[in-house]
Amino acid sequence: MASANASSLPETRPGQPLRVAVAGLGAVGLQVAQRLREGLPGFVLGAVAVRDKDAARCKLGDEHGQIAIVGIDELEPYADVVVECAPAALLREIVLPFVNVGKKAIVLSCGALLRHMDLVDVARESGGQIIVPSGALLGLDAVSAAAEGEIRSVRMTTRKPVSGLVGAPYLVSNNIDIEDITEPLRIFSGTARQAAAGFPANLNVAVALSLAGSGPDETQLDIWADPGINRNTHHIQVDSDSASFSMSIENVPTDNPKTGRITALSVIAALKRLRAPLRVGT
């Protein structure tokens, strides 16, 4: 439960574990919080931010001990880095207090980041950092490297089970009903920026790809609803002056069909790289 006055919390000193705050206890946030609580060398779970504190205590169990469970507006003093695992509408409220004082924010709702790119300027001026983990994609290192030269084209094709797409704003606004389809149906073709607006809970992976590469208006995306699959699949084709390559991945979903299991693991890997004596990959 929430305990000490946040203003009295000690600052992290060199050699001490980094304090990590988790904003949101959905499929990803809960797994990250549990991993930190179990013990991640060099890190400690500083606090959890949720709207329903009683529900959070139930999720964390009787062993949540002295973990502070607070509101989003109370979170910053408890941690050196925040992991944003909340609804996209809360992105700014979570990230700004951290980067404004030179701290780090690991962002999963990177689709929402496109609407708040001034946060990058805030981080630049304060010495803070916004980190977008690889999440459900692979090969972002290669895309980032290619972007140092000239990327001629990036196209991503995503196939998702129907349950992972039902209710997306793009489908609702265009009166596209996919619940009873019996064959794969292409439901969207456009840019990563357009996909982020139309599928805010589904296509953060496309925005991550675009930020690593040629940008959200130059990254092309096709989305298919496929009743014959039970995994989120992504196929990426990149053509650049340094290399041409393609990548495919099938992600096992969590209990939330919109989210893959690898997403939480990607967050943990990103945390570990903050303090790693050896970093592999760009």
Side-chain angles (χ1 to χ4, degrees):
M1 68 181 75
S3 51
N5 184 336
S7 62
S8 68
L9 296 175
E11 295 293 326
T12 298
R13 297 175 181 175
Q16 290 184 328
L18 277 180
R19 300 169 302 159
V20 181
V22 177
L25 278 185
V28 175
L30 182 59
Q31 187 174 344
V32 172
Q34 289 174 334
R35 179 69 178 271
L36 286 163
R37 192 179 61 179
E38 291 167 0
L40 190 64
F43 300 89
V44 63
L45 179 59
V48 169
V50 291
R51 286 182 168 171
D52 188 336
K53 296 178 184 179
D54 290 335
R57 292 186 185 100
C58 290
K59 285 186 176 182
L60 290 171
D62 295 335
E63 298 180 358
H64 67 77
Q66 297 303 308
I67 299 170
I69 302 176
V70 301
I72 288 172
D73 59 344
E74 306 171 89
L75 191 58
E76 180 272 318
Y78 287 90
D80 309 294
V81 55
V82 63
V83 180
E84 176 273 314
C85 308
L90 299 176
L91 173 80
R92 187 178 193 85
E93 188 178 350
I94 293 166
V95 172
L96 180 58
F98 280 82
V99 298
N100 198 41
V101 294
K103 295 181 178 181
K104 299 180 187 294
I106 295 178
V107 169
L108 294 184
S109 301
C110 57
L113 187 60
L114 294 183
R115 302 191 298 275
H116 299 283
M117 290 300 286
D118 63 300
L119 291 172
V120 178
D121 298 325
V122 174
R124 182 182 298 111
E125 293 171 4
S126 69
Q129 188 179 34
I130 296 172
I131 299 165
V132 177
S134 299
L137 285 186
L138 77 169
L140 290 189
D141 276 6
V143 178
S144 296
E148 293 299 320
E150 178 189 355
I151 292 181
R152 291 187 281 260
S153 66
V154 180
R155 177 168 288 277
M156 176 175 172
T157 301
T158 288
R159 292 178 178 267
K160 283 179 171 275
V162 171
S163 60
L165 291 164
V166 169
Y170 180 87
L171 299 181
V172 174
S173 63
N174 287 279
N175 295 314
I176 300 174
D177 184 3
I178 62 173
E179 293 193 57
D180 296 321
I181 63 172
T182 57
E183 296 181 352
L185 176 68
R186 188 172 70 173
I187 57 174
F188 175 86
S189 184
T191 68
R193 187 184 300 276
Q194 293 167 334
F199 300 86
N202 305 90
L203 271 303
N204 287 308
V205 289
V207 177
L209 174 66
S210 74
L211 292 175
S214 53
D217 298 311
E218 300 298 328
T219 301
Q220 299 298 312
L221 176 67
D222 291 329
I223 304 174
W224 291 73
D226 191 337
I229 62 174
N230 57 15
R231 296 186 178 188
N232 300 324
T233 69
H234 309 290
H235 180 74
I236 301 160
Q237 294 178 299
V238 179
D239 181 45
S240 75
D241 62 352
S242 61
S244 295
F245 52 94
S246 62
M247 305 170 283
S248 295
I249 187 170
E250 296 183 4
N251 294 311
V252 178
T254 61
D255 293 338
N256 178 353
K258 297 180 174 65
T259 304
R261 293 184 184 179
I262 200 170
T263 302
L265 301 178
S266 176
V267 171
I268 294 164
L271 282 171
K272 291 172 72 172
R273 289 180 69 170
L274 295 179
R275 307 205 83 167
L278 171 66
R279 288 182 57 171
V280 179
T282 55

